[in-house]
Amino acid sequence: MDRILITGGAGFIGSHTADALATRGYRIRILDNLAPPVHTGKWPKYVLGKGYELLRGDVRKKGSWRRALRGVSFVYHLAAYQDQRLDFSTFFETNTVSTAILYELIVGERLPVRKVILASSQFVYGDGEYRCAHSRGTTFYPELRSLGQLKNKQWNILCPHGKKARNIPFREDQRVLPTNSYGLSKFALENAGLRLGKTYNIPTVALRYSIVQGPRQSPRNLYSGALRIFVSQAVAGVPITVYEDGHATRDFVNIDDVVKANLAVLKNSKADFQIFNVGGGRAYDVLDFAREVKEITGSPSEIIVGGFRRTDTRHAVSDISKLKKLGWRPRFDTERSIKTYAKWFLKEGFEKTLDRKNLLGLRKGIPR
Ligand SMILES: NC(=O)c1ccc[n+]([C@@H]2O[C@H](COP(=O)([O-])OP(=O)(O)OC[C@H]3O[C@@H](n4cnc5c(N)ncnc54)[C@H](O)[C@@H]3O)[C@@H](O)[C@H]2O)c1
């Protein structure tokens, strides 16, 4: 059976993808550097004892890729530098340059890789496209909301005439406007992979995941978002803190649906050289999501609304009709994500490692 390389396979999406591919008979090789904060330098137990080849290495290094690519038919390139840090170049080295090295080796060493699947992100869209409410049909691409606007609690994006505007779900063929180094590096990796793939006839697919949720999402990874933060706060019994007015929206997607999307594009040649959104298919108010976490965990925590983060987008919802045309559709809602995540969180004993002071600090609206 074919061997599949999964970079970042010790992580959240990679390890679930590995498990699903292994049950379908594929031989799994994982390349991961096990770096903090996601890991503690050791292989997580969920990848051990399953017959996976585990290579510790760094996707920024050609030598690691060379070892990892031996005898591989398919590659999922999921390893990434995430977060909102100021070492801008690390995003490009880990996410973009790594992708260039991958193609350099496939082409230069004539490796028989039959397809590359690249992890991109909804983040490439920034705030996306909006439609003015007062002049129907006029659309615009807003800049990030200004600090002044946020300080004045004007959470909603207004049209250039200062009137109400509505967000349009992100489509793969629209203009993208990444607002940080992470998004920029992801857009660059899509371009590099799709262009080099086309030129050298290496089928390539880029998947723009929305916020993915489920067990194995590292509680130490500050980038892992609302589910980790809300569950940690709920379990610790400290206030659950929701930014802005709570009415920002996100199309959270469950990990099992993301794994199915990863598998759906593997053997389908209609997916080749394409970009697909992978989202939950509906917009959730972040405040409703916090209430759901409180209810499911049975937490006494109160929910506090307020504060903001400088570079947050107001609405992030993807149009998923393109991937649906290939037969994929999301099946699971946030209830499943919260239940499975909270159960795993408690089973692993993460509640014992929570720093209450730090959890309370989460609502200070750290500028990012
Ligand atoms: N989880 C989400 O909500 C989400 C949303 C959009 C896009 N994505 C993308 O999906 C992919 C997987 O994300 P995830 O949530 O599983 O993240 P994760 O942090 O759980 O997994 C990423 C893995 O990559 C490894 N890694 C990081 N730098 C590396 C390097 N230099 N060399 C080798 N390995 C390295 C990490 O150790 C980790 O195991 C990433 O590319 C991410 O940008 C995730």
Side-chain angles (χ1 to χ4, degrees):
M1 195 61 170
D2 288 315
R3 181 182 282 116
I4 298 196
L5 170 65
I6 305 176
T7 72
F12 168 45
I13 300 175
S15 66
H16 284 286
T17 303
D19 293 350
L21 290 166
T23 56
R24 283 159 183 78
Y26 291 101
R27 286 185 287 164
I28 303 297
R29 180 180 292 158
I30 288 174
L31 173 66
D32 203 294
N33 70 350
L34 305 177
V38 176
H39 302 287
T40 53
K42 288 192 211 133
W43 291 101
K45 60 177 188 267
Y46 52 72
V47 296
L48 298 174
K50 293 180 171 175
Y52 301 162
E53 280 178 78
L54 303 176
L55 299 188
R56 189 164 179 172
D58 194 319
V59 293
R60 291 171 290 183
K61 301 206 170 117
K62 211 170 184 174
S64 294
W65 274 112
R66 194 173 268 124
R67 270 193 306 144
L69 283 168
R70 243 174 251 145
V72 160
S73 306
F74 301 97
V75 178
Y76 283 90
H77 182 24
L78 304 181
Y81 190 61
Q82 304 173 77
D83 217 318
Q84 297 263 8
R85 306 201 181 145
L86 300 180
D87 52 340
F88 307 133
S89 59
T90 313
F91 291 92
F92 293 93
E93 281 162 11
T94 311
N95 305 344
T96 316
V97 175
S98 67
T99 306
I101 297 175
L102 165 63
Y103 286 86
E104 196 171 304
L105 284 171
I106 297 175
V107 175
E109 305 195 359
R110 296 173 192 273
L111 300 177
V113 170
R114 305 218 293 274
K115 191 178 278 196
V116 174
I117 294 157
L118 299 169
S120 185
S121 167
Q122 185 189 53
F123 239 93
V124 299
Y125 293 111
D127 271 301
E129 188 178 13
Y130 273 67
R131 177 165 283 122
C132 285
H134 88 300
S135 57
R136 278 194 152 262
T138 311
T139 65
F140 64 102
Y141 287 83
E143 266 302 321
L144 261 185
R145 291 167 296 172
S146 69
L147 190 56
Q149 177 176 355
L150 294 171
K151 279 185 175 163
N152 287 332
K153 301 189 179 174
Q154 287 172 355
W155 309 122
N156 285 319
I157 288 172
L158 300 177
C159 77
H161 314 285
K163 306 272 194 240
K164 271 191 177 172
R166 275 186 79 81
N167 65 307
I168 303 172
F170 307 137
R171 299 173 321 274
E172 293 87 346
D173 59 358
Q174 77 179 59
R175 216 174 109 193
V176 300
L177 274 175
T179 54
N180 61 17
S181 303
Y182 172 69
L184 286 164
S185 69
K186 285 290 183 185
F187 185 49
L189 90 79
E190 289 179 354
N191 279 310
L194 291 167
R195 183 63 263 161
L196 295 171
K198 257 189 204 160
T199 303
Y200 297 100
N201 200 24
I202 304 157
T204 297
V205 186
L207 298 176
R208 291 180 178 163
Y209 305 130
S210 299
I211 298 174
V212 188
Q213 301 185 319
R216 300 186 189 165
Q217 198 166 12
S218 173
R220 291 177 294 270
N221 184 358
L222 296 183
Y223 199 75
S224 58
L227 182 61
R228 173 190 70 82
I229 297 169
F230 294 167
V231 168
S232 303
Q233 292 171 325
V235 166
V238 303
I240 298 175
T241 52
V242 179
Y243 292 124
E244 306 184 7
D245 58 356
H247 300 303
T249 55
R250 299 288 181 263
D251 60 339
F252 303 116
V253 58
N254 181 269
I255 181 64
D256 295 338
D257 287 324
V258 169
V259 167
K260 290 223 170 72
N262 286 346
L263 268 56
V265 297
L266 180 67
K267 290 293 182 73
N268 191 337
S269 59
K270 286 190 189 139
D272 296 355
F273 308 111
Q274 300 290 320
I275 297 173
F276 296 95
N277 290 333
V278 183
R282 57 164 279 202
Y284 295 90
D285 254 36
V286 179
L287 180 57
D288 290 340
F289 181 67
R291 289 188 181 124
E292 203 180 359
V293 169
K294 178 176 157 70
E295 194 186 311
I296 289 173
T297 56
S299 171
S301 299
E302 60 175 325
I303 297 176
I304 296 178
V305 176
F308 63 86
R309 291 185 299 193
R310 175 70 184 91
T311 60
D312 274 357
T313 51
R314 179 65 173 161
H315 300 293
V317 180
S318 294
D319 179 331
I320 53 169
S321 47
K322 186 172 174 189
L323 190 54
K324 274 176 148 180
K325 286 192 189 124
L326 294 191
W328 171 88
R329 62 196 59 243
R331 290 181 45 222
F332 302 113
D333 57 15
T334 49
E335 185 183 344
R336 178 188 176 98
S337 301
I338 298 166
K339 279 187 176 158
T340 53
Y341 180 79
K343 191 170 160 199
W344 173 79
F345 186 95
L346 294 170
K347 190 173 134 237
E348 297 297 315
F350 286 117
E351 80 280 10
K352 293 180 207 115
T353 64
L354 292 177
D355 172 356
R356 288 173 61 89
K357 236 168 56 200
N358 187 28
L359 285 174
L360 285 163
L362 284 170
R363 81 170 299 267
K364 280 191 193 140
I366 313 149
R368 312 189 296 177

